[in-house]
Amino acid sequence: MSYRTYNIIIKINEESEKEDLKNRLTENFKFYNIREFFTPFRGIVCQANNKFKEYSFEQFPDQFFRNQDEVEDYYSESENHAVEFSKKNGDLEVVYVEVDCFGGRCASNGFVIQNGVKTKNEDVFHSAHMKLLHAIDPQYDSWHFYPFTRTFFTDKGGINGEILNFTFLAVLMAFNMEVEHNPDFEFNAAENEMQILLKDKFEIYLMNLGRERIKVLGRLFDNRAETINEVKNLLNEALQGLEYYIEIDNFENGEKDSVSSISREKFQSVARVSYRAHIFNEIKIDFSPDIKEPVKNATTKKEGFFGKIFKNIFGK
């Protein structure tokens, strides 16, 4: 399933700017989602997605649209809206990014604009957004960006990390051992993916990228300290003796926590490399005959599992 988003991103340099920036975006981008983010830099994202075009014109307040064509045109013109916004707000450096994810592959394109003049432009590429965001924050160097995930505007927090130099199957078995006797957990697994869900608290998703690199992502439905500690304890117990770095971010106040056995510098050097440059389901993993047995309590039917994972966790 393709998921396309249209994003206007502005960096917050001072706390005093925040409310003014939100008000300007709200005034100019009616019926877009707007939310502050804190990592990897502090800013505001104003976003629409391709599903918005399907909303009935009658659902919008104040009879804003007269027919369905106007709804379609309004969101299809997001790029032009960004240009007009820049012309009216010449003091702001604005990044416009379109992100399109399909079949596990993600691509982006867009531009940096100020006072209606495009200062940087990037054509469609799997890491174009990195160059655009780097233009407004020179420290930005991660391929993963929370505001581009499908559930960013409803999640209380996010999980992002890497496990290195270990096989996916061994990690899968380690997590299964940690949760198999706890009925509160739901554990699902396929050849290259696994999901650990604790209802109303958190969800962790791991995918095998090959070459003994495993990407860790997830969501917080509850960002209380006790829930974050549950996440940390589960990760530390399951990953004992391995190389890993996993961050846990609170979307509401910007607080950051982590569990790790490697340096953040090593994590960053890995994290800046795209893990979604290719269609994920094309990744081929060689399993020897003695490890092809299904894991206890694991779901091995991929149809439905992949759909659920990509629908619930990702916009990329």
Side-chain angles (χ1 to χ4, degrees):
M1 178 188 298
S2 178
Y3 180 70
R4 189 177 188 90
T5 59
Y6 314 90
N7 304 270
I8 294 91
I9 299 163
I10 302 173
K11 184 179 180 181
I12 297 175
N13 295 304
E14 301 288 343
E15 173 66 26
S16 58
E17 298 176 337
K18 182 177 70 173
E19 292 306 317
D20 176 58
L21 290 176
K22 283 185 176 179
N23 289 337
R24 291 201 230 180
L25 287 167
T26 301
E27 179 182 347
N28 286 272
F29 295 93
K30 293 182 182 294
F31 318 124
Y32 284 62
N33 288 325
I34 297 174
R35 189 176 192 183
E36 181 180 7
F37 62 89
F38 296 89
T39 187
F41 60 89
R42 191 176 183 188
I44 296 179
V45 58
C46 173
Q47 182 189 99
N49 64 64
N50 53 347
K51 291 297 182 184
F52 283 28
K53 299 177 184 178
E54 300 174 7
Y55 293 169
S56 169
F57 73 95
E58 297 170 331
Q59 293 179 345
F60 293 90
D62 304 323
Q63 296 182 314
F64 190 82
F65 300 112
R66 293 171 295 179
N67 54 57
Q68 205 61 36
D69 288 340
E70 288 190 357
V71 178
E72 171 76 23
D73 292 343
Y74 181 75
Y75 290 111
S76 296
E77 292 294 317
S78 292
E79 178 177 337
N80 292 335
H81 295 332
V83 172
E84 291 305 312
F85 175 79
S86 175
K87 291 178 180 178
K88 292 190 294 184
N89 296 270
D91 58 315
L92 301 179
E93 190 172 28
V94 176
V95 176
Y96 176 79
V97 187
E98 292 189 13
V99 182
D100 193 8
C101 295
F102 45 96
R105 175 190 289 158
C106 289
S108 56
N109 65 282
F111 50 80
V112 182
I113 188 168
Q114 187 164 19
N115 199 25
V117 178
K118 294 181 182 179
T119 58
K120 188 175 184 61
N121 190 80
E122 292 293 333
D123 294 330
V124 176
F125 190 57
H126 66 80
S127 55
H129 66 285
M130 292 180 66
K131 297 178 181 180
L132 295 169
L133 294 172
H134 182 81
I136 62 168
D137 186 276
Q139 302 303 312
Y140 181 83
D141 63 354
S142 171
W143 192 87
H144 178 74
F145 187 55
Y146 281 126
F148 295 159
T149 57
R150 188 184 295 267
T151 57
F152 172 74
F153 289 93
T154 56
D155 290 342
K156 296 292 185 67
I159 300 167
N160 176 38
E162 303 274 349
I163 303 169
L164 305 176
N165 302 319
F166 214 67
T167 66
F168 182 75
L169 183 67
V171 173
L172 185 155
M173 294 175 67
F175 275 104
N176 185 58
M177 290 174 62
E178 289 297 324
V179 304
E180 65 176 338
H181 298 301
N182 188 335
D184 294 332
F185 280 95
E186 178 182 333
F187 182 80
N188 297 295
E191 188 177 48
N192 296 319
E193 304 178 278
M194 77 178 91
Q195 173 204 41
I196 303 104
L197 174 66
L198 185 57
K199 187 178 179 180
D200 298 327
K201 290 193 173 183
F202 64 85
E203 183 174 34
I204 299 174
Y205 170 75
L206 296 91
M207 62 176 161
N208 183 16
L209 304 180
R211 298 185 179 181
E212 298 191 337
R213 178 189 175 192
I214 300 169
K215 186 64 191 176
V216 182
L217 296 166
R219 312 162 59 193
L220 297 180
F221 310 120
D222 171 16
N223 55 14
R224 291 175 297 178
E226 53 264 39
T227 297
I228 293 174
N229 285 333
E230 285 186 87
V231 175
K232 293 170 63 178
N233 291 338
L234 174 61
L235 292 170
N236 279 325
E237 288 296 321
L239 302 177
Q240 287 186 58
L242 306 188
E243 294 185 63
Y244 62 95
Y245 192 102
I246 302 169
E247 295 180 336
I248 305 163
D249 295 285
N250 189 323
F251 289 168
E252 295 187 324
N253 59 22
E255 291 181 357
K256 181 183 292 289
D257 214 328
S258 66
V259 293
S260 64
S261 63
I262 61 174
S263 68
R264 192 168 193 276
E265 289 71 26
K266 186 172 183 178
F267 162 65
Q268 287 177 311
S269 70
V270 176
R272 68 171 60 101
V273 178
S274 168
Y275 55 89
R276 302 297 287 279
H278 305 288
I279 294 177
F280 176 71
N281 295 341
E282 290 181 350
I283 295 176
K284 302 299 182 184
I285 306 298
D286 292 327
F287 286 88
S288 60
D290 61 325
I291 59 174
K292 281 189 176 179
E293 294 298 320
V295 178
K296 183 180 179 181
N297 288 349
T299 300
T300 55
K301 294 181 180 178
K302 296 180 184 179
E303 185 178 5
F305 174 68
F306 288 122
K308 180 178 179 183
I309 289 298
F310 286 116
K311 180 178 180 180
N312 290 340
I313 297 181
F314 295 106
K316 21 185 356 176

